[in-house]
Amino acid sequence: EDVKIGDIVAYETLEEPPEIVLHRVVDLGEDEEGWYAIMKGDNNAFADYDKVRFNQVKYVLVGILY
């Protein structure tokens, strides 16, 4: 409920060592492992291949100050 399509989130990759990636949520779903999000960088042509699980999400952008 805290993450919606269109939100910009920072999530931790499953690679070793893990990295923090900042992308936009383009789709949400559930499968046998539970909740997941599909992410896409604003300047990327295609969405990311891997599903991002809720426990990987570290930050959600709530506002931009100009």
Side-chain angles (χ1 to χ4, degrees):
E1 296 176 5
D2 294 336
V3 178
K4 297 173 180 51
I5 292 176
D7 285 350
I8 298 172
V9 303
Y11 68 92
E12 192 171 63
T13 64
L14 298 176
E15 301 168 355
E16 285 299 327
E19 297 178 354
I20 298 293
V21 177
L22 188 67
H23 279 176
R24 189 178 303 273
V25 178
V26 295
D27 196 14
L28 297 172
E30 269 192 56
D31 60 12
E32 60 280 347
E33 295 180 39
W35 181 94
Y36 69 85
I38 302 296
M39 306 292 188
K40 178 182 175 291
D42 286 352
N43 289 321
N44 294 349
F46 303 101
D48 299 346
Y49 177 75
D50 295 327
K51 296 175 180 176
V52 174
R53 303 295 173 175
F54 190 77
N55 65 341
Q56 292 176 260
V57 175
K58 300 304 176 193
Y59 306 101
V60 178
L61 181 69
V62 295
I64 300 174
L65 301 175
Y66 290 97

